[in-house]
Amino acid sequence: MLLSVEDLKIGFGLLEPLVGVDLGVDAGEILGLVGESGSGKSMTAMSIMGMLPLMGGRIKQGRIVFDGLDLTTINEGSYRKLRGGRIALITQNPMTSLDPVVRVGRQIDQASQLHLGLDRKEAKSRTIDLMDRMRIPSPQHAYDLFPHQLSGGLRQRIVIAMALAGDPDLLIADEPTTALDVTVQAQIIQLLVELVRDRGLGLILITHDMGVIAQTCDRVAVMYCGRVVEYGPVARLFDDPRHPYTRALISCIPQLGMAPGTLTGIPGMVPSSQNLPKGCRFHPRCDSVLDNCRLREPPMKTEDGRSVACFLHEGGQR
Amino acid sequence: MTPLLSVRKLSRVFSSNGGFLRKKRQFRAVSDVSFDVRRGDVLGVVGESGCGKSTLARLVLRLIEPSAGAVMFDGQDIASLPAGAIRPLRRHFQMVFQDPYSSIDPRLTVRDALLEPFQVQDIKMTKVAAKSKIDALLTEVSLPLSMADSYQHQLSGGQKQRVGIARALALSPALVVLDEPTASLDVSIQAQVIALLQELRDRLDLTYMFISHDLALVQYFCDRILVMYLGRIVEILPRGELPVHPYTKALMDSAFVPDPNQRRDIPRIYGEIPSGYDEPTGCAFVGRCPLAEARCSKSLPRLQSLSENHAVACHVQGPVNVPMEFQNAL
Ligand SMILES: Nc1ncnc2c1ncn2[C@@H]1O[C@H](COP(=O)(O)OP(=O)(O)OP(=O)(O)O)[C@@H](O)[C@H]1O
Ligand SMILES: Nc1ncnc2c1ncn2[C@@H]1O[C@H](COP(=O)(O)OP(=O)(O)OP(=O)(O)O)[C@@H](O)[C@H]1O
Ligand code: SF4
Ligand SMILES: [Mg+2]
Ligand SMILES: [Mg+2]
């Protein structure tokens, strides 16, 4: 595994936004992280990027192993060498990652100057090459533009080029296309997939779009209220979802040719982190509750390459 | 039966200020749009950001003034009525906005927010009548009655959107225009809200105009779909029929099918949406269209009927021989 997260628990004061998170991604592979708003997807990304201390949080338990190195043991100085270098993050809103007063080309240069030790001229030619590969039209010209002179889709491509400039082994994309139109979204996702396949980097793709997951990922971790509730290969997860939450999420996607009235949604809503239900965190919304579900948290059971945390599958069998 | 809503040749041009030494520019947000909505139908409107969906909605409700065209609501042209004559009619057509946070005053309780439409219309109610009205509205959108005393910061996104819908229903309208009502919600909550809207339509005999950029959602929920590109209708597509216009097809092909066993490459459509400042001489989609021919950049394709409910504006994919009886249908 290029990266593996093992039994991760994080704390912000008394709150624990992530508990018992296990997942992994290999080189040349795409791991999808999916779940409703507030389920802990971005927190997982922030933990891997070593940003928790900067946000007022900390790792309470577990390991984050990247290429053999446990990242929970390294200091901020060592992290700074990794961030934007071997591990890069693409955030949802490109404007937060771009400096409005610096030409976009220069912003891409900075990563390769810092992490690859290129001089300015080498960095520029690498940047133009990257912009070209991101299919940014006339990169020589675009190099000198400011962020506000570009459309949302082009800005997001600049942010991806920035993330790639330091030649990362692991890329985390946190909802990279949510703010974009469907046609642009399709192009950008396709671009990310090609990068993984051609350059062999590992990608963690965070989204709440099950369609994107189905079309691109190798494996999926479904998150709910700070926990991974189901984890496994994408085809098996869609063909035979084991956790009632996974099943419910899949049934919420409008699909072509669906009969009217068949889309019902998941009753209730995600509980707030201050007010988590006792027992299984999904039980108030679950359609298959057992007595046990109200009392204890179901442990994660792994069998045959897939994991699920649900009493219906205790012991791994159905 | 006459349609509840008949829009004819509706256009809206925004002029930019120009400013010092700059030419005043004209932006065509909505151009020459015509369509009908039958009573009880759900009309969907799809298209990418900036194509004029919200402008069209606001024109239909006369929240902004049209540059040209007519909006016949129940036989009356609300686009040309004097502003004063519109107010009493407003109770018959209401709007639900995309952002459930921005459309309701944060200092109001849910109760106050639901009573506001009555105050706007100068409808007096006794305390008892008001309470039973609020209870009925909350029940209608499946919210607990105790929520009347909540402020919006105490509500979830889905609950806020339900309050927005309840507010739109307060005056028993005939037409409700929903501008991306689920865009900021999780799919699980989106599905709840759509199920609620469907149930309300059946029970209260409502007519909807439903704006979205999610083609799969619109195909699920709507009887007919207007597909807009750069302020114009490029296709009117009935439910269950396959799209014909290259742009609608591109939109459909860009959707990610939630089935890992049906993976496919997404055909790219290159280029960006052109600016609405320059009136194109031909089809606005010509620069991105895989089927474009020479004639496409020379003249504007007109919206022509393919069948009773299906129309398309495309030179290449248009009707070959249009029967006489359809030629003036739109
Ligand atoms: N700075 C913070 N301090 C404490 N708790 C936080 C902070 N930021 C987020 N949280 C909490 O952590 C939990 C997980 O949030 P996170 O942002 O990871 O969700 P998400 O899955 O990324 O959701 P979304 O789809 O909305 O982006 C939430 O309950 C949230 O309230
Ligand atoms: N008051 C205004 N003055 C000038 N231009 C405007 C005004 N309102 C809208 N526009 C322009 O008209 C075009 C259509 O805008 P509109 O809001 O109708 O698009 P939309 O299809 O609803 O987009 P979105 O999906 O982003 O909501 C946009 O380019 C917008 O910038
Ligand atoms: S009219 Fe021509 S350019 Fe326009 S969509 Fe049809 S084929 Fe393409
Ligand atoms: Mg997030
Ligand atoms: Mg809009």
Side-chain angles (χ1 to χ4, degrees):
Chain A
M1 280 282 149
L2 175 66
L3 175 92
S4 65
V5 174
E6 298 161 13
D7 194 27
L8 180 70
K9 181 194 277 190
I10 67 169
F12 277 78
L14 288 177
L15 293 179
E16 294 181 341
L18 295 180
V19 175
V21 170
D22 279 292
L23 41 88
V25 63
D26 237 327
E29 192 187 60
I30 307 178
L31 169 74
L33 270 191
V34 70
E36 284 166 284
S37 188
S39 56
K41 305 183 294 294
S42 297
M43 279 294 170
T44 306
M46 289 303 158
S47 307
I48 297 168
M49 294 301 291
M51 310 275 274
L52 293 183
L54 313 175
M55 300 164 70
R58 69 199 171 88
I59 289 175
K60 291 175 99 169
Q61 189 184 310
R63 309 198 313 150
I64 299 173
V65 183
F66 171 71
D67 200 14
L69 175 69
D70 184 354
L71 300 181
T72 62
T73 63
I74 68 173
N75 60 21
E76 172 61 19
S78 315
Y79 242 124
R80 223 173 286 150
K81 294 207 188 78
L82 283 175
R83 260 187 236 126
R86 294 194 65 199
I87 307 183
L89 174 72
I90 301 168
T91 55
Q92 171 169 355
N93 183 352
M95 274 328 238
T96 59
S97 338
L98 291 173
D99 185 334
V101 296
V102 178
R103 298 180 195 279
V104 293
R106 286 296 301 143
Q107 301 194 45
I108 302 173
D109 289 353
Q110 280 161 11
S112 48
Q113 287 183 278
L114 186 66
H115 292 284
L116 304 182
L118 302 187
D119 66 29
R120 194 161 166 177
K121 211 170 132 232
E122 291 164 339
K124 178 165 181 178
S125 86
R126 180 174 163 80
T127 295
I128 304 267
D129 181 46
L130 274 170
M131 289 169 80
D132 190 41
R133 265 191 278 162
M134 294 302 107
R135 300 198 186 77
I136 294 167
S138 41
Q140 295 277 1
H141 168 71
Y143 182 93
D144 285 321
L145 297 178
F146 291 98
H148 72 266
Q149 293 172 301
L150 298 168
S151 72
L154 285 177
R155 269 183 226 146
Q156 192 57 291
R157 273 176 263 187
I158 295 287
V159 171
I160 298 176
M162 256 166 87
L164 294 175
D167 202 13
D169 297 315
L170 175 69
L171 188 61
I172 305 177
D174 191 354
E175 316 234 10
T177 57
T178 308
L180 303 174
D181 274 322
V182 283
T183 54
V184 183
Q185 167 175 351
Q187 291 175 36
I188 287 184
I189 296 286
Q190 190 118 332
L191 209 62
L192 286 172
V193 173
E194 282 169 16
L195 281 168
V196 172
R197 307 298 179 219
D198 299 349
R199 301 179 41 152
L201 46 81
L203 172 66
I204 300 182
L205 182 61
I206 298 178
T207 171
H208 44 234
D209 187 334
M210 288 296 258
V212 172
I213 296 274
Q215 287 293 321
T216 60
C217 294
D218 299 297
R219 269 173 309 123
V220 193
V222 180
M223 298 193 70
Y224 188 74
C225 284
R227 280 182 163 273
V228 173
V229 296
E230 181 160 6
Y231 178 52
V234 66
R236 295 171 65 195
L237 190 120
F238 274 82
D239 290 346
D240 174 27
R242 297 239 165 128
H243 199 285
Y245 180 61
T246 311
R247 216 186 318 125
L249 260 191
I250 292 172
S251 75
C252 288
I253 320 164
Q255 290 189 57
L256 299 177
M258 214 177 205
T262 46
L263 205 61
T264 51
I266 309 178
M269 54 183 179
V270 180
S272 78
S273 46
Q274 290 96 320
N275 210 353
L276 290 173
K278 202 170 139 44
C280 171
R281 297 179 177 191
F282 187 58
H283 92 255
R285 304 173 76 192
C286 181
D287 59 7
S288 336
V289 202
L290 310 169
D291 287 342
N292 224 352
C293 307
R294 301 194 175 84
L295 305 172
R296 298 194 298 121
E297 279 210 67
M300 184 65 111
K301 287 278 153 83
T302 304
E303 191 187 75
D304 202 8
R306 55 189 302 192
S307 316
V308 59
C310 170
F311 285 119
L312 296 174
H313 302 281
E314 233 191 331
Q317 74 276 65
R318 305 207 67 185
Chain B
M1 201 173 76
T2 55
L4 179 66
L5 182 70
S6 253
V7 170
R8 288 293 173 271
K9 298 194 168 303
L10 193 62
S11 298
R12 172 65 206 232
V13 177
F14 292 110
S15 334
S16 69
N17 284 334
F20 181 66
L21 286 185
R22 267 197 295 167
K23 235 178 54 207
K24 202 166 157 163
R25 294 171 87 195
Q26 306 256 292
F27 188 94
R28 290 167 189 80
V30 169
S31 302
D32 196 21
V33 163
S34 302
F35 62 90
D36 287 343
V37 191
R38 288 179 292 245
R39 208 177 280 275
D41 264 10
V42 181
L43 177 81
V45 182
V46 285
E48 288 173 282
S49 187
C51 71
K53 304 181 295 295
S54 298
T55 305
L56 177 62
R58 289 188 301 194
L59 287 171
V60 163
L61 298 178
R62 182 80 184 267
L63 297 174
I64 53 173
E65 299 295 316
S67 307
V71 178
M72 308 296 290
F73 179 80
D74 216 2
Q76 220 171 0
D77 183 7
I78 52 176
S80 63
L81 278 181
I86 293 286
R87 207 175 65 137
L89 289 177
R90 284 209 179 278
R91 59 179 302 169
H92 301 300
F93 40 89
Q94 293 288 321
M95 178 136 170
V96 176
F97 295 89
Q98 164 172 353
D99 187 357
Y101 304 70
S102 69
S103 53
I104 295 167
D105 184 339
R107 291 160 305 181
L108 296 185
T109 59
V110 168
R111 171 180 294 104
D112 298 334
L114 293 179
L115 286 175
E116 215 177 35
F118 297 96
Q119 287 150 7
V120 171
Q121 288 286 334
D122 275 331
I123 298 171
K124 303 270 185 295
M125 283 189 290
T126 64
K127 270 220 162 72
V128 181
K131 166 144 191 356
S132 73
K133 188 77 210 174
I134 303 262
D135 288 355
L137 284 171
L138 289 173
T139 311
E140 206 103 85
V141 296
S142 317
L143 288 175
L145 302 188
S146 59
M147 209 159 262
D149 295 312
S150 307
Y151 290 89
Q152 58 155 295
H153 70 264
Q154 298 168 311
L155 308 182
S156 72
Q159 289 169 336
K160 279 181 208 158
Q161 203 49 283
R162 281 163 199 270
V163 172
I165 293 168
R167 207 161 102 117
L169 295 178
L171 300 169
S172 312
L175 173 73
V176 182
V177 176
L178 303 131
D179 191 356
E180 311 224 24
T182 60
S184 56
L185 305 177
D186 272 317
V187 280
S188 54
I189 310 299
Q190 160 172 293
Q192 285 177 13
V193 170
I194 295 294
L196 172 71
L197 289 171
Q198 227 148 13
E199 188 256 331
L200 289 170
R201 169 183 76 150
D202 295 343
R203 196 151 46 78
L204 306 176
D205 197 21
L206 296 170
T207 304
Y208 293 140
M209 188 167 147
F210 180 83
I211 297 172
S212 172
H213 52 243
D214 182 345
L215 191 61
L217 179 65
V218 162
Q219 287 205 322
Y220 169 75
F221 185 49
C222 304
D223 300 299
R224 286 207 305 164
I225 304 164
L226 299 186
V227 183
M228 291 184 69
Y229 192 78
L230 218 68
R232 291 182 189 272
I233 297 178
V234 295
E235 183 159 9
I236 301 182
L237 183 70
R239 187 215 297 281
E241 274 188 42
L242 289 176
V244 165
H245 195 282
Y247 177 64
T248 318
K249 284 189 184 155
L251 272 187
M252 199 176 234
D253 290 341
S254 300
F256 289 86
V257 181
D259 182 353
N261 304 309
Q262 281 184 48
R263 284 209 179 163
R264 54 187 175 82
D265 272 347
I266 289 169
R268 290 201 189 87
I269 58 168
Y270 285 103
E272 310 277 325
I273 302 185
S275 137
Y277 283 113
D278 329 295
E279 173 79 84
T281 44
C283 171
F285 191 53
V286 70
R288 303 169 81 190
C289 182
L291 301 183
E293 297 174 0
R295 57 184 161 157
C296 299
S297 38
K298 295 208 179 83
S299 70
L300 189 74
R302 284 196 331 120
L303 192 64
Q304 291 183 300
S305 300
L306 295 171
S307 66
E308 192 190 342
N309 287 316
H310 195 168
V312 65
C314 175
H315 288 307
V316 177
Q317 295 286 61
V320 187
N321 288 308
V322 189
M324 265 324 275
E325 62 267 36
F326 289 136
Q327 280 196 355
N328 295 316
L330 284 152

